[in-house]
Amino acid sequence: MTLTLIGHEDRYAVEQLQMSLFDHSSEGSAVSALHRSKHWLTAVTTIIKDGQTVTARRRLKADQETVRLRRQLLQQCYYQAAIQLLPALPAWGALAGVRPTKISTRHFLEGGTPESADKLLKDIYYVTPERRALAIDCSLSTANAVAQMNDADISLYVGIPFCPTRCAYCSFVSRSIGKRTELLDPYLAALAREIRITGELMAKSGKTVRTIYIGGGTPTTLSTPQMAKLLDTIRDAFDLSRCMEFTVEGGRPDTLDAEKLLAIRQHGADRMSINPQTMIDPVLKACGRPHTATDVQKAYRWAVDAGFDAINMDLIAGLPQDDFDGFRHSLDTVAALMPANITVHTLALKKGADLFEKRAHLPSAQEVTRMVDYANETLRSLGYKPYYLYRQKYMSGSFENVGWSKDGKDCLYNIYMMEELHSIVSLGGGGMNKVNLPDGHLQRFHNPKFPEQYIEMIDTVLEDKKALFELL
């Protein structure tokens, strides 16, 4: 769907809402216009789609204009036009972007209450009651995470951009190495250099590590000795006296065994992710995941035996070949294990993924709605609470990804990273550094995406790290 602006340049605000309300393949056109008079700003939205033309208008007193209120006006107007074409009211109303909790979090940090936050999300952004409850609970967890920070804190992300094979829904930058491991040793050597230099820069800066997250790819693609050496390198390079959690993304059960999980725990990590995505074997096969539901349960038991008491498990609503009964079985089976965290994703059709071009046998939006609603109701009834969430473009049903946790088991890294509460220093290929500047703005620095580039450009990466620390 095309979007034309008249009288304003707030494309991002309107375009993000358009992408969240209409399917990426939707045809049609929309015009977002802003007219100014002495006393009023008047927004007018016209959308033409499927032979229908709809219009909405809203206005704001001219002397009340701020950037935030102007963009809010444009989004409200677009929303009021769009709902005339939609089969049902969208769950997140007029909220767009990856962080729908941004509004309620800011409200709490400015002294608001759950009741006033609920009214704000209802009256201004038209969010449904269920999504308002999600946002408010997650924002309360964010406020708690803020209370545990100090000004010197940062978090570390360490990227291992390798996987044994690529899953059909995945668009992350990673190398599917299969049995070819020749890149691993030179990659790990370059990464060790970056870790040591960053540790020296950290010590000089006075910054302290609050959380560490090793992600990917699939970090446990590494062998047991490689993983143990990496963990030791991190612990030797950084002062971890203030580090509250150290997470390794295990991800694929087919990369885990009892020996590797024990080594990860003994070498310093205290949180683990074991991500089935589904507990239905035909659905796993359709997604290109070469493990079974039984393998997931084995890996979980090994992790418990290794001493992990904070284990996350991921599920995805909307996978190919899945249906409501299959998703319900997956959620019930995972919940019966009682992991500390369960993250429920909604399938996003990403352009870099095989599913984007070969989509078939996907559940309907109505079916995905049932899956997501069942997850929310069931996990709340079992004593889990939502603690962080985010959205992505082109998600089934325009829903969200939600992390659920038992009391006291929030993954703080997820909150600090998603809510951009403090700087995230990323190490390794594909990592994105987020630096919170003193003036409140965020500056991003990207490491080279692919392992080969990272290895070749490691000297440049190290120079960039020095420049980054001058800003911290």
Side-chain angles (χ1 to χ4, degrees):
M1 180 178 290
T2 62
L3 175 63
T4 302
L5 307 184
I6 297 175
H8 71 91
E9 297 180 354
D10 293 307
R11 174 171 292 277
Y12 183 82
V14 181
E15 193 170 57
Q16 290 299 302
L17 181 59
Q18 177 172 284
M19 286 193 293
S20 71
L21 296 179
F22 293 107
D23 184 83
H24 68 277
S25 60
S26 293
E27 295 184 359
S29 62
V31 176
S32 173
L34 186 66
H35 306 288
R36 296 177 181 273
S37 68
K38 182 177 180 180
H39 299 293
W40 295 97
L41 269 69
T42 303
V44 180
T45 299
T46 301
I47 303 174
I48 302 173
K49 184 178 183 296
D50 299 331
Q52 297 185 70
T53 300
V54 296
T55 300
R57 63 180 61 230
R58 292 184 67 88
R59 64 181 189 172
L60 173 72
K61 288 184 177 180
D63 60 4
Q64 294 179 346
E65 181 182 2
T66 65
V67 171
R68 181 173 64 84
L69 289 179
R70 183 183 70 245
R71 291 174 178 171
Q72 187 182 100
L73 174 73
L74 292 164
Q75 288 180 320
Q76 289 176 327
C77 187
Y78 190 97
Y79 172 85
Q80 294 293 348
I83 60 173
Q84 299 175 58
L85 298 169
L86 296 173
L89 293 177
W92 285 104
L95 282 179
V98 300
R99 295 168 53 205
T101 55
K102 185 176 181 179
I103 301 296
S104 49
T105 295
R106 181 174 61 206
H107 186 74
F108 282 136
L109 295 178
E110 292 174 351
T113 66
E115 293 75 20
S116 59
D118 185 77
K119 180 176 175 56
L120 172 69
L121 293 172
K122 176 185 176 183
D123 294 347
I124 303 299
Y125 296 99
Y126 320 117
V127 180
T128 62
E130 295 79 10
R131 276 7 184 234
R132 297 200 304 269
L134 279 178
I136 289 169
D137 285 342
C138 290
S139 291
L140 288 171
S141 289
T142 299
N144 180 60
V146 169
Q148 299 180 61
M149 288 169 36
N150 69 30
D151 291 342
D153 286 343
I154 67 161
S155 288
L156 290 178
Y157 176 83
V158 181
I160 307 296
F162 297 93
C163 287
T165 57
R166 182 180 288 274
C167 300
Y169 51 77
C170 181
S171 66
F172 286 119
V173 174
S174 65
R175 278 285 175 261
S176 301
I177 61 172
K179 295 183 182 299
R180 297 183 59 206
T181 60
E182 63 269 16
L183 269 180
L184 283 177
D185 283 338
Y187 177 83
L188 291 172
L191 178 59
R193 285 186 63 194
E194 189 183 10
I195 290 170
R196 287 191 289 268
I197 292 296
T198 304
E200 294 171 5
L201 293 168
M202 280 277 293
K204 293 175 183 176
S205 72
K207 296 294 182 180
T208 52
V209 177
R210 199 57 169 154
T211 71
I212 303 175
Y213 194 101
I214 301 181
T218 306
T220 44
T221 301
L222 302 183
S223 68
T224 298
Q226 287 171 330
M227 179 61 74
K229 185 176 180 180
L230 172 62
L231 295 172
D232 287 344
T233 301
I234 293 169
R235 296 184 68 191
D236 290 344
F238 297 99
D239 175 5
L240 302 185
S241 58
R242 271 188 57 80
C243 185
M244 293 185 65
E245 61 180 38
F246 192 151
T247 304
V248 172
E249 181 79 34
R252 293 257 297 259
D254 52 306
T255 66
L256 299 171
D257 57 39
E259 179 188 16
K260 186 179 293 186
L261 286 162
L262 182 61
I264 292 170
R265 183 69 187 94
Q266 290 178 338
H267 287 262
D270 55 10
R271 298 182 66 98
M272 171 59 57
S273 281
I274 297 170
N275 302 334
Q277 315 302 9
T278 174
M279 296 295 280
I280 302 295
D281 286 345
V283 180
L284 287 168
K285 184 176 180 180
C287 294
R289 289 177 72 86
H291 63 82
T292 66
T294 300
D295 294 333
V296 174
Q297 294 181 315
K298 287 180 182 177
Y300 184 85
R301 289 194 294 270
W302 289 332
V304 172
D305 291 343
F308 288 99
D309 63 356
I311 301 172
N312 173 74
M313 303 186 79
D314 281 9
L315 293 171
I316 301 178
L319 289 172
Q321 305 283 358
D322 207 1
D323 57 19
F324 173 74
D325 289 336
F327 179 82
R328 178 174 58 187
H329 170 79
S330 296
L331 184 78
D332 290 349
T333 303
V334 165
L337 298 172
M338 297 300 285
N341 303 111
I342 297 176
T343 305
V344 180
H345 297 266
T346 306
L347 179 68
L349 291 172
K350 305 171 188 177
K351 291 185 178 179
D354 289 345
L355 269 182
F356 189 84
E357 297 296 337
K358 304 173 185 176
R359 68 196 80 164
H361 307 295
L362 295 174
S364 67
Q366 292 77 16
E367 195 94 347
V368 174
T369 299
R370 293 181 67 199
M371 296 176 185
V372 172
D373 288 347
Y374 180 78
N376 292 350
E377 295 166 6
T378 301
L379 292 173
R380 283 191 185 278
S381 72
L382 293 173
Y384 289 89
K385 67 176 180 63
Y387 76 96
Y388 94 111
L389 66 84
Y390 65 100
R391 300 174 72 196
Q392 295 169 281
K393 298 175 184 176
Y394 313 132
M395 296 185 78
S396 298
S398 191
F399 287 118
E400 65 283 316
N401 303 320
V402 184
W404 298 81
S405 71
K406 291 291 189 180
D407 285 344
K409 295 298 184 179
D410 293 0
C411 179
L412 290 173
Y413 172 84
N414 286 334
I415 298 174
Y416 293 144
M417 181 271 299
M418 187 54 58
E419 296 296 331
E420 298 171 346
L421 298 176
H422 65 209
S423 295
I424 307 292
V425 175
S426 292
L427 312 171
M432 181 173 67
N433 301 273
K434 295 183 177 183
V435 179
N436 288 34
L437 300 173
D439 64 2
H441 287 85
L442 188 74
Q443 188 161 342
R444 292 175 171 86
F445 295 81
H446 294 267
N447 279 7
K449 287 185 177 181
F450 296 101
E452 299 92 333
Q453 295 173 329
Y454 175 77
I455 294 166
E456 293 170 2
M457 298 176 63
I458 185 61
D459 290 333
T460 302
V461 170
L462 299 181
E463 289 301 315
D464 288 345
K465 274 293 181 296
K466 294 174 185 177
L468 182 154
F469 271 87
E470 291 176 0
L471 298 174
L472 286 174

